[in-house]
Amino acid sequence: MIQKWSQAHGYDMTIYHPYYSGQLPQASDVDLLVILGGPMSPNDSLPWITAERTLIATLLERHTPIFGACFGAQQIAKTLGYAVTKAPAKEVGWAPVYRQSDVISGLPETVMALHWHEEMFEVPAAATLLFSSEHVRPQGFVMDHRVVGLQFHIEPLADNVREMVANDAAYVTGSVLDQSPADILHRPVPTANEAVTYRLLDYICEGSRQP
């Protein structure tokens, strides 16, 4: 959905895979940074993970919009000096998150999100808690009108969900949500998630130069 949002606005988007190539964009080339998820942890000792936090720190100083999902949100929090720790429950599958703040207008009270994590971030002191779930309180934050971090996923389209299940189905084991890979696949992607994704990206880019 992030790619659809970018195309709808006529923006150029470059996708990096630093876990394969070690490559990251130069800060001077970034108008909006999006960091998504993966099987790695911000606590892993990998050079590209450290380098990515250096990039995040530079962009935070420049007030460049940043959107992080799952690992991406954890990276933002860790860059700011906050902990990424084991969550009280492993969440894998579809489950609702509940809005905790009205700082971003136009967001629904409840969002049906795709969860794929067992770690969580500590919400930075300068940020506002944006979403919580039944099992894990820190599910999203917003900071400085420029940064949004989400522990869950609202950005995947149906093909992306199939890709996640096809490559990581075994990860559902031990999830408090008690959903099988088939359960996850058979649940349609909520149509509302596109509007939520668009609203969050529009919000952090308000007043910025075009990505």
Side-chain angles (χ1 to χ4, degrees):
M1 293 184 190
I2 294 168
Q3 186 174 45
K4 288 182 66 177
W5 173 86
S6 177
Q7 292 171 344
H9 286 73
Y11 299 153
D12 294 326
M13 184 176 76
T14 303
I15 300 174
Y16 288 80
H17 298 286
Y19 44 89
Y20 291 138
S21 66
Q23 297 298 311
L24 291 165
Q26 296 295 313
S28 58
D29 295 331
V30 177
D31 300 313
L32 164 64
L33 181 67
V34 174
I35 312 163
L36 298 180
M40 68 293 292
S41 166
N43 298 320
D44 291 342
S45 299
L46 297 173
W48 74 263
I49 292 178
T50 302
E52 187 173 73
R53 287 201 293 271
T54 299
L55 173 62
I56 293 169
T58 299
L59 296 178
L60 287 172
E61 291 177 358
R62 298 181 180 187
H63 301 285
T64 300
I66 305 176
F67 176 88
C70 201
F71 170 80
Q74 295 168 359
Q75 276 281 71
I76 297 167
K78 195 169 177 79
T79 299
L80 291 164
Y82 292 86
V84 174
T85 59
K86 195 83 166 179
K90 179 181 180 180
E91 295 177 307
V92 185
W94 295 101
V97 294
Y98 305 98
R99 193 187 73 230
Q100 302 296 311
S101 170
D102 294 326
V103 68
I104 303 177
S105 64
L107 295 178
E109 292 185 3
T110 303
V111 177
M112 182 57 68
L114 180 61
H115 300 262
W116 212 274
H117 65 93
E118 58 186 301
E119 290 187 321
M120 67 179 187
F121 52 75
E122 181 182 7
V123 177
T128 298
L129 180 67
L130 192 57
F131 292 103
S132 293
S133 73
E134 178 183 351
H135 302 285
V136 179
R137 184 172 183 270
Q139 287 283 351
F141 64 85
V142 56
M143 187 179 73
D144 193 32
H145 208 115
R146 290 288 176 271
V147 180
V148 164
L150 306 177
Q151 185 56 70
F152 54 89
H153 297 278
I154 52 169
E155 78 284 356
L157 298 168
D159 285 347
N160 305 124
V161 177
R162 282 191 285 272
E163 181 181 6
M164 293 168 74
V165 171
N167 288 280
D168 203 23
Y171 191 61
V172 304
T173 302
S175 168
V176 70
L177 302 181
D178 193 27
Q179 297 173 23
S180 69
D183 293 334
I184 296 170
L185 284 175
H186 290 159
R187 178 147 198 161
V189 173
T191 56
N193 286 8
E194 179 175 301
V196 175
T197 301
Y198 280 37
R199 178 65 189 119
L200 294 174
L201 292 170
D202 286 339
Y203 176 84
I204 62 174
C205 290
E206 288 173 1
S208 301
R209 58 181 177 150
Q210 290 189 348

